[in-house]
Amino acid sequence: MALKITDQCINCDVCEPECPNEAIYQGIEIYEINPSKCTECVGHFDTPQCKEVCPVDCIPLDLDHPETQEELHIKFVQLTTAKAALVTVVIKAAV
């Protein structure tokens, strides 16, 4: 299941750089999480890093986006494969 940031967010800026999938971004009022990029850090870490660093505990599961651990792992593979392909294209273009 993806995570979400609630309106209890204090915009402290600590969660965004911790996300290995770049799923966290500054919204209009608070930070937000793109559920299509959030894997709860599956494939990267044992626990969601944004939750680990959040000082106000405002990052619960997003019940609107239910996913199994297997689905999160598949999403991780897809995201990292796409990122690797993009890096390869950029490197080849630079050469």
Side-chain angles (χ1 to χ4, degrees), residues 21-81:
N21 296 322
E22 300 175 347
I24 300 174
Y25 61 95
Q26 179 64 55
I28 294 171
E29 295 182 22
I30 60 172
Y31 279 92
E32 297 181 22
I33 296 177
N34 179 341
S36 66
K37 290 184 171 183
C38 179
T39 63
E40 293 183 54
C41 291
V42 167
H44 293 284
F45 301 101
D46 292 336
T47 59
Q49 297 302 287
C50 59
K51 288 183 70 134
E52 292 286 324
V53 299
C54 181
V56 293
D57 194 28
C58 68
I59 309 176
L61 291 173
D62 185 348
L63 300 179
D64 292 334
H65 296 94
E67 295 169 294
T68 65
Q69 289 294 307
E70 182 179 343
E71 290 171 322
L72 291 171
H73 183 75
I74 290 168
K75 189 191 309 184
F76 158 75
V77 170
Q78 291 170 338
L79 289 169
T80 54
T81 301

